[in-house]
Amino acid sequence: MAFTPPKETYTGKVYTLEIGVPPDTVRFGGENVLPLHGFEGIVPSRPVIAYEIQDIPPDDWPDTVKKPFKDVSDDPVSWAKFCRDALKARAIALRLIGTHPDRENRSPEDAAKTVRDILSAIDVPLIILGSNHTEKDASVLIAAAEAAKDKNCIIGKAQEANYKTVAAAAMANNHKLIAMSELDINLSKQLNILITQMGFDKERIITDPMCSALGYGIEYTYSVMERIRLAALLQNDATMQQPMLGDIGMYVWKAKETQARPEDVPPWGSLEERGIAWEAVTAIALIIAGAELLVMRHPKAIEAVEKVVDELI
Amino acid sequence: MALTGVEIFKLLPKTNCKKCGFPTCLAFAMKLAQRQASLDLCPDVSEEAKQKLGEASAPPVRPITFGVGNKAIKMGEETVLFRHDKKFVNPCAFALEIKDSLSDDEIITRVEEILNSEIERVGQKLRVDAIALINDSNDAARLEAAAKLIVAKAHEMPLIICASSPQAAEASLRLYADKKPIICGANSENAELMADIAKTYNAILGITATASGGLDEISNITEKVKALGVTDMVIDPGARKAKEILEQNTLIRRAAIKKNFKPLGYPIITFAQREDGLKEALIAAIGIAKYSSIIVLSSIEKWKNLALFTLRQNIYTDPQVPMQVEQKIYKLGEPTSESPLLITTNFSLTYFIVSGEIENSKVPGYLAVMDCEGLSVLTAWAAGKFTASKIAQFIKESGVENEIKHRELIIPGYVAILSGAIEDKLEGWKITVGPREANGIPAFLKSRAA
């Protein structure tokens, strides 16, 4: 029986986003097909993986992922330089976790200084993330967005509780914006609409449907991503056509599987390889579901994912 | 294409006799279309209708059981392309490659490795499911000798024999005649011979395309083999690179589900072997997410198994049934009789997040997880499953009073409203309102401990 490949016809397209200042820019999104379905349409860019760094030393990261950065992680500028120069990071995600009231409660001015220091030391597409304390983030991200004015960064995350302030800060300083909602396609759509109603360009938003790690609810993120992408492409829903973020590192490196010593759980095998695999497998699954921008930590996990992406493009 | 409810309705007796248990024939037809009812429920359906509906209601991916006994693997039966539409039915199997060119000792070591691969995770036992014996030596006698070693060591383990020479395949297949093995390597040149052998030894036939033939060639071979009387097949579309695996698997599943294209309505076998163990894990991950029924691996390190088993478990969970964890008092860290006691519901995501945050706090504690049918805290409260009297009853019956000296229960901030009522029902207890969001737990517990 003759076989005709059942190609899908898509009516929508994911917006293309570019961040950074020429010549140091990266681009993602832009496809008019389901993730990496190059056989039936256009996949113009590969997913971008950003190395996660933070404004304070990574005391709460497990050893496996602390180790590769042990000589540089005391200082965000050397950490960023190391990622850019030695690890060839295409982008860097700076998490201002030290501003969290339960951590060091650093001030918005401190955060702005860290951002300025990094941007004056190296040219790299930068993603600036708050500490996920919606109230504090509002003030921190205003200061950080100003400090990075016109550097075409991504600011995040705007959530239901603080999107007005965070989106205004991104808009005033010419940045892109991450809109995060909690594992619900309708909430995600609603937040995009609210933000665009403020006059924020819908093509400058990145959707974060909320990440979850392998073994800890990844199937929820996976399916919300697939549903968002189907709505964008098959129903041509313009409020769902933003590229998606997988903020993987912070969820993966909290999981027990990335921390438990082999002597405590013999059937789980080597700790270092297990942690790296946990992050890489989480990343690949979400890339298959539709993530175009990923924030990750371990160099070996990133390297392996990049190699497989080479094969997928 | 599967029939719609209305098309099915036309074939039913239209008597609305209700014997099927549904109020009308139309209602029954709708249930049939959604595959939520079986035609057997209708006592009056005509033979003609039965035949038509039977064909249309046959699953688009043929159900096949690989192996026999306790370790038999069910494959196929899939009905959707995306897991949010409906549960993926039969989780893919992992097979470890064993080349017959290895020494006897090496073969035995690998078989033992498979037998010891079982891990328990969230109440499920997970393991490497099968062996793929590869005729790397190109020697029929060696293949047979290797198969002998394997059957002696693990006679229950389902076996895939990969050999392109029918003669080589036959000798080893004889050892597995009553064990429903897979014989992988039927192509356009040897299809008749292979089909013959598969029939003789009651084996599942693996169909492979040549480099340029692709799915068109596969479809021709499966049709030919089916005409020769072999009904159980698996498809190896020849894809090895990640991009090809994604493309071929998607096209095969789509043709089967959306077009009801029978020549490709069979389970897919994916050969994911790579030199780099981590890269192999990632190729396998693509197979798990995108429609492989069997994934062949070259190595099964424990860390890799754990990651792949977990992804398979996650992708194959039922999206309509919330994942639940067992109702009990969980110990986090090494709690003492003075350690704090928190309570939450048994939605697995809630449990994972809350227990993770308690661990992050480094304050050992007890987490009472109450069965609320897998609902999250607010939903369970709204649905009347997380109420003061049920909480009080659960705490009393849990036996936690024997483990702790204090009588303080920390409840989620979202149900602060319950604190008075629980105190009334749980005599001698003090109820403390904890944070609304789990990410507030570390600060909350640390400040109490300080």
Side-chain angles (χ1 to χ4, degrees), chain A residues 210-259:
Chain A
M210 193 167 150
C211 192
S212 30
L214 175 62
Y216 295 85
I218 193 177
E219 66 274 26
Y220 295 92
T221 303
Y222 182 93
S223 282
V224 173
M225 282 187 169
E226 280 201 330
R227 291 180 61 198
I228 288 179
R229 203 32 55 83
L230 287 166
L233 298 170
L234 292 180
Q235 292 151 35
N236 196 13
D237 183 339
T239 63
M240 307 247 73
Q241 287 169 338
Q242 289 75 15
M244 290 188 283
L245 167 71
D247 192 0
I248 285 166
M250 63 179 284
Y251 291 95
V252 164
W253 295 100
K254 242 198 278 187
K256 213 183 293 170
E257 284 79 355
T258 61
Q259 319 206 6

Side-chain angles (χ1 to χ4, degrees), chain B residues 59 85 87 103 106 126 133 244 253 261 270 287 295 326 368 373 375 388 400 412 415 419 421 434 443:
Chain B
D85 286 332
K87 184 180 186 295
S103 72
E106 285 167 325
L126 311 165
L133 175 60
E244 293 161 2
R253 177 71 78 89
F261 185 71
T270 298
I295 297 174
E326 189 194 342
E373 294 168 28
L375 298 179
V400 71
V415 290
S419 64

Side-chain angles (χ1 to χ4, degrees), chain B residues 311-337:
Chain B
L311 184 64
R312 171 175 66 179
Q313 191 177 41
N314 291 165
I315 293 289
Y316 279 86
T317 52
D318 188 338
Q320 276 140 17
V321 179
M323 280 243 287
Q324 306 182 19
V325 293
E326 189 194 342
Q327 159 167 308
K328 67 173 191 183
I329 309 286
Y330 290 82
K331 291 182 183 175
L332 303 168
E334 280 161 18
T336 67
S337 59

Side-chain angles (χ1 to χ4, degrees), chain B residues 148-286:
Chain B
K148 258 186 198 147
L149 282 173
I150 293 170
V151 78
K153 192 89 199 154
H155 68 278
E156 278 197 315
M157 181 70 61
L159 182 74
I160 305 161
I161 298 169
C162 299
S164 50
S165 142
Q167 292 77 16
E170 185 163 13
S172 48
L173 211 49
R174 206 170 286 134
L175 301 165
Y176 274 82
D178 53 350
K179 298 188 195 300
K180 196 85 185 172
I182 297 175
I183 164 76
C184 219
N187 52 41
S188 49
E189 273 142 39
N190 66 11
E192 285 90 355
L193 280 172
M194 285 293 208
D196 244 14
I197 298 174
K199 253 197 316 200
T200 312
Y201 299 101
N202 191 23
I204 300 160
L205 195 54
I207 311 293
T208 315
T210 48
S212 57
L215 299 182
D216 202 30
E217 189 183 340
I218 296 267
S219 312
N220 289 329
I221 307 174
T222 57
E223 283 296 274
K224 191 162 151 188
V225 167
K226 190 178 167 194
L228 293 167
V230 175
T231 48
D232 288 348
M233 289 176 254
V234 295
I235 296 175
D236 163 22
R240 297 296 181 267
K241 272 183 65 180
K243 183 187 168 78
E244 293 161 2
I245 293 172
L246 180 63
E247 172 178 346
Q248 308 280 37
N249 284 15
T250 302
L251 290 175
I252 291 171
R253 177 71 78 89
R254 229 189 242 165
I257 306 269
K258 292 183 76 174
K259 308 283 178 198
N260 207 12
F261 185 71
K262 295 293 179 193
L264 292 179
Y266 299 97
I268 302 169
I269 181 167
T270 298
F271 291 88
Q273 303 103 306
R274 295 299 165 102
E275 251 172 58
D276 175 343
L278 178 56
K279 204 169 162 193
E280 178 171 295
L282 300 185
I283 301 292
I286 295 172

Side-chain angles (χ1 to χ4, degrees), chain A residues 262-275:
Chain A
E263 50 271 38
D264 295 332
V265 219
W268 286 6
S270 149
L271 173 57
E272 177 158 349
E273 283 160 309
R274 192 198 318 139

Side-chain angles (χ1 to χ4, degrees), chain B residues 125-146:
Chain B
K125 290 198 160 117
L126 311 165
R127 60 172 180 253
V128 175
D129 314 88
I131 294 173
L133 175 60
I134 318 262
N135 187 204
D136 189 46
S137 67
N138 265 324
D139 172 5
R142 180 59 200 156
L143 182 66
E144 188 185 356

